[in-house]
Amino acid sequence: MLFRTKDLEAIFNGQCTLAFRRWKKPTVKPGGTVRTQLGMVGIDSVEPIEPHEVTELEARAAGYKDRAGLIAMFDAQEGTCYRIRLHPAGPDPREALRDAEPDVDELKALATRLQKLDKAAPAPWTRQALQLIADHPGVVSTSLAETAGMERADFKLNIRKLKALGLTISLEVGYRLSPRGVALLATL
């Protein structure tokens, strides 16, 4: 579930507790969370609705100028209309993870996890990716992917796997290693 930055700011300021989407199949579930650039968004409920059920107040609570703007969004898409009740659910847990100093056992566990990622891929890539980022922080992913001999989309997918382990940090352009990633790379 994607959010515009202004909508995320409203959610985290407590001004927005609703979202509306039209999906062929819901992409979120009640009780789940969505990771966003500003932190985690908690999903309280996901209810199928008819467009005419939406009130002016609900449309505004979801960040629309008025109900007509929300109806226009519904009309431009296909699928079932949903009302999603949500709340801010705290910071992205990867932030705390990436700044944590791993101990020896954790470094071994991370190395084992990287080995599994390498075995699941057509060719090993994890150490090369970490080294590329260490050597070229802030370099656009297209250049890094080319250096790695990979398609950009595949490279970015791999970096997201490293980010989920708290090893990399996305920058405005490119990436850098987190303290956790620096510690791990030093042991590989």
Side-chain angles (χ1 to χ4, degrees), residues 8-31:
L8 283 174
E9 289 169 351
I11 291 167
F12 283 93
N13 289 334
Q15 299 167 325
C16 178
T17 58
L18 286 177
F20 291 92
R21 296 292 188 272
R22 189 165 206 164
W23 291 315
K24 291 182 181 177
K25 181 180 175 187
T27 61
V28 296
K29 296 179 183 175

Side-chain angles (χ1 to χ4, degrees), residues 29-73:
K29 296 179 183 175
T33 56
V34 177
R35 182 179 289 131
T36 74
Q37 66 264 31
L38 296 185
M40 303 301 287
V41 173
I43 306 300
D44 299 317
S45 66
V46 180
E47 329 163 45
I49 60 164
E50 292 298 323
H52 70 271
E53 295 176 31
V54 179
T55 68
E56 189 74 30
L57 283 174
E58 287 178 319
R60 289 189 182 173
Y64 289 87
K65 181 179 175 185
D66 54 27
R67 185 177 178 278
L70 175 57
I71 298 302
M73 181 275 293

